[in-house]
Amino acid sequence: MPHRKLIARLLSVVELSEQDQVRLRDMPHLIKTFRDGDFAARQGDSPVHCAVVMSGFLSRQRIVSDRNQISAFYIPGDVPDLHTLHLSAMDHDLCSEGASTVAFILHSHLRPILMASPGLTNAFWRETLIQGAIYREWVENLGSRAALPRVAHLFCELATRLEMVGLFHNGSFHLPITQQDVANACGLSTVHVNRTIQELRKMGLLEWREQIVSVLRRDKLENVAEFSAEYLHALEAPKPHETMRAAE
Amino acid sequence: MPHRKLIARLLSVVELSEQDQVRLRDMPHLIKTFRDGDFAARQGDSPVHCAVVMSGFLSRQRIVSDRNQISAFYIPGDVPDLHTLHLSAMDHDLCSEGASTVAFILHSHLRPILMASPGLTNAFWRETLIQGAIYREWVENLGSRAALPRVAHLFCELATRLEMVGLFHNGSFHLPITQQDVANACGLSTVHVNRTIQELRKMGLLEWREQIVSVLRRDKLENVAEFSAEYLHALEAPKPHETMRAAE
DNA sequence: CGGGGGCTTGAAACTGATCAAAACGCGTGG
DNA sequence: CCACGCGTTTTGATCAGTTTCAAGCCCCCG
């Protein structure tokens, strides 16, 4: 069931006919595993396939002004380079954070499927639009918020997105990244991120040990972060967990 | 020719059949004019139409943490709320910067046209992907660059985008926004933006008087900004000017 | 002529960066 | 089993870019 997470992800934001789900399930693909720091795609590539994250995390990053800026994290079910269907050049690296497995689907397989199904075209288009909404949220996060709420917002977003694909359990999730990565994502120094996280701990909002993040007081954390999940455009009706089951 | 700019914009990033161009030209629409500060759409709206900027500037903004963060500027030819075709709720305000004119096209008119033409579907999808690439660039700009290159980058981007729709002449373009707006877009204080612009002037890179920005040394400015236009994904072949003429 | 918005300037305060080093955990090889 | 080395986290001290506060100026508009 390699496309289980992809289907779960799409079902969490759009309705899909049974037929379209079958189309997705049957897509031919190539599975690769990556180790920490491996690149699933490089800046300048013109990939002939799209990458579907099956397990683990990927980050989108690029060197800007001496810094390694991270502009997105991708979790299971995401298709980080879906845009290469229309914009051939990758303008960033896709880097594996910890170990990950990725299914690659050829553009030449994907295009006919999309041509045949307006429902899937809409689903994937919608998916890229939600990615766009996330980028906008990051712009606001970096442009407007002080360090503490900024870092808190990142945790809120990851928790909510992981919840949507069934990877948030009992207030905890697996986070295979370093404080350095958080710094690169938030536009802060590593030292300051460290102090900020200590502050969040001291406030009793979260724990983060051995790659496990535990959100202790989610409402309080979201309050500090001024987080509102609307921009992720999750469907109301099917609860994240039902969605997962439906896709299994 | 209300959709002239839209067609010019699309032609600058994608090829369109003659038939598709006719489809665009014939789209029914409603034209509205806005004064400085008017809202073309409000956060929370679920619009039944898309807005095509015909003249002037719009900004996408939202209050975040006491600040009025701007997450995008839209110029003639842009469709700032194209995403409402798939994501019904607007999560920002669209605000007119100076006077502007906007053509509104009903979703119910747009959807059948897109269903009938894969070429147009791809063109509009591609357009939203480029908007996404611009957001990513802003994330990097806000996350990684100091004030001077950050502000410079904004000017470079605007110059290049305006050039693509034929609104950049002799190194100058019309910019109907205040330093306050630049501050809100760049995540800086108004005071510091003022000093930064003075610095850019002192360096002989640009002038900005009475809403006219003159780029004096574009290569130098792009250097300071670490600007590379690739992320805007302009087509090579048809030069911006030819594109304009082709659409007229 | 008055008022207001935008631009400009100066001084003080502060958030977050930088530099430096120590503590910690973990895998590797001796 | 211990020694070593490396990457990550933590802590302290200093530094600097940017914010904030406050005031004055300019110019357009009523």
Side-chain angles (χ1 to χ4, degrees), chain B residues 42-58:
Chain B
R42 300 304 303 261
Q43 186 176 352
D45 285 358
S46 294
V48 295
H49 45 228
C50 287
V52 179
V53 182
M54 292 178 59
S55 74
F57 279 60
L58 299 187

Side-chain angles (χ1 to χ4, degrees), chain A residues 62 86 92 126 140 144, chain B residues 62 69 86 92 126 140:
Chain A
R62 185 169 59 172
H86 292 97
H92 300 84
R126 185 181 164 103
E140 295 170 348
S144 293
Chain B
R62 185 169 59 171
Q69 180 68 39
H86 291 99
H92 300 84
R126 186 181 163 102
E140 295 170 349

Side-chain angles (χ1 to χ4, degrees), chain B residues 160-234:
Chain B
T160 305
R161 287 171 58 196
L162 288 165
E163 191 173 29
M164 287 168 70
V165 290
L167 292 171
F168 182 74
H169 300 293
N170 305 321
S172 297
F173 59 92
H174 180 61
L175 187 66
I177 69 177
T178 66
Q179 294 186 359
Q180 171 94 254
D181 293 319
V182 174
N184 288 339
C186 291
L188 297 167
S189 68
T190 313
V191 171
H192 201 59
V193 162
N194 180 274
R195 295 195 233 260
T196 303
I197 288 169
Q198 288 180 52
E199 182 76 16
L200 288 171
R201 283 201 268 250
K202 245 176 285 176
M203 293 168 79
L205 301 184
L206 59 77
E207 277 305 311
W208 183 11
R209 285 197 322 271
E210 289 156 29
Q211 308 203 331
I212 302 290
V213 173
S214 302
V215 179
L216 303 180
R217 294 222 224 130
R218 191 154 178 195
D219 53 341
K220 193 86 195 318
L221 184 66
E222 296 189 345
N223 225 34
V224 167
E226 293 181 292
F227 179 82
S228 161
E230 284 160 39
Y231 70 97
L232 296 171
H233 293 272

Side-chain angles (χ1 to χ4, degrees), chain A residues 21-72:
Chain A
Q21 293 186 42
V22 171
R23 285 193 175 102
L24 291 175
R25 247 191 288 273
D26 293 346
M27 283 189 300
H29 58 273
L30 173 69
I31 294 179
K32 283 195 197 168
T33 64
F34 295 102
R35 287 161 307 169
D36 186 45
D38 287 350
F39 291 99
R42 300 303 303 259
Q43 186 176 352
D45 287 357
S46 295
V48 294
H49 45 225
C50 287
V52 180
V53 182
M54 292 176 60
S55 73
F57 279 60
L58 299 187
S59 65
R60 172 185 290 264
Q61 48 184 50
R62 185 169 59 172
I63 305 288
V64 179
S65 227
D66 230 14
R67 273 179 118 278
N68 195 8
Q69 179 69 38
I70 292 177
S71 50

Side-chain angles (χ1 to χ4, degrees), chain A:
Chain A
M1 291 285 128
H3 303 325
R4 193 165 51 90
K5 282 284 184 230
L6 170 63
I7 295 170
R9 162 67 197 160
L10 291 177
L11 281 177
S12 75
V13 296
V14 75
E15 286 173 24
L16 287 178
S17 70
E18 195 56 45
Q19 190 189 12
D20 282 341
Q21 293 186 42
V22 171
R23 285 193 175 102
L24 291 175
R25 247 191 288 273
D26 293 346
M27 283 189 300
H29 58 273
L30 173 69
I31 294 179
K32 283 195 197 168
T33 64
F34 295 102
R35 287 161 307 169
D36 186 45
D38 287 350
F39 291 99
R42 300 303 303 259
Q43 186 176 352
D45 287 357
S46 295
V48 294
H49 45 225
C50 287
V52 180
V53 182
M54 292 176 60
S55 73
F57 279 60
L58 299 187
S59 65
R60 172 185 290 264
Q61 48 184 50
R62 185 169 59 172
I63 305 288
V64 179
S65 227
D66 230 14
R67 273 179 118 278
N68 195 8
Q69 179 69 38
I70 292 177
S71 50
F73 287 113
Y74 298 103
I75 65 174
D78 286 341
V79 188
D81 55 358
L82 190 46
H83 56 88
T84 58
L85 270 179
H86 292 97
L87 307 173
S88 58
M90 276 297 295
D91 30 20
H92 300 84
D93 291 329
L94 284 183
C95 181
S96 182
E97 302 285 337
S100 66
T101 64
V102 176
F104 289 97
I105 304 170
L106 285 169
H107 288 171
S108 55
H109 287 134
L110 213 37
R111 288 212 176 86
I113 294 175
L114 294 182
M115 284 297 281
S117 167
L120 283 180
T121 300
N122 286 342
F124 279 108
W125 188 350
R126 185 181 164 103
E127 178 59 24
T128 61
L129 291 170
I130 292 175
Q131 296 297 326
I134 295 175
Y135 298 135
R136 285 197 294 266
E137 198 75 21
W138 281 43
V139 168
E140 295 170 348
N141 202 30
L142 296 176
S144 293
R145 283 194 262 264
L148 186 77
R150 195 187 299 182
V151 172
H153 194 279
L154 177 60
F155 284 106
C156 289
E157 178 183 304
L158 289 174
T160 304
R161 287 170 59 196
L162 287 165
E163 191 172 31
M164 288 167 71
V165 290
L167 292 172
F168 184 74
H169 299 294
N170 304 321
S172 297
F173 59 91
H174 180 63
L175 188 66
I177 69 177
T178 65
Q179 294 186 359
Q180 170 94 255
D181 293 318
V182 174
N184 288 339
C186 291
L188 298 166
S189 68
T190 313
V191 172
H192 202 61
V193 163
N194 180 274
R195 294 195 232 260
T196 303
I197 288 169
Q198 288 180 52
E199 181 77 15
L200 288 171
R201 284 202 267 251
K202 243 176 288 177
M203 293 168 79
L205 302 183
L206 58 76
E207 276 306 310
W208 183 11
R209 286 196 322 271
E210 290 156 28
Q211 309 203 330
I212 302 291
V213 173
S214 301
V215 180
L216 302 180
R217 294 225 224 129
R218 192 156 180 193
D219 53 340
K220 193 85 195 314
L221 184 66
E222 296 189 347
N223 223 35
V224 167
E226 291 182 293
F227 179 82
S228 161
E230 283 160 40
Y231 71 99
L232 296 171
H233 293 273
L235 288 184
E236 304 297 328
K239 283 287 184 300
H241 239 67
E242 274 81 343
T243 306
M244 275 305 297
R245 295 220 184 88
E248 282 172 311

Side-chain angles (χ1 to χ4, degrees), chain B residues 18 27 48 60 73 83 87 95 116 140 152 173 175 204 211 231:
Chain B
E18 196 56 47
M27 283 189 300
V48 295
R60 172 186 290 264
F73 287 114
H83 55 87
L87 305 174
C95 181
E140 295 170 349
F173 59 92
L175 187 66
Q211 308 203 331
Y231 70 97

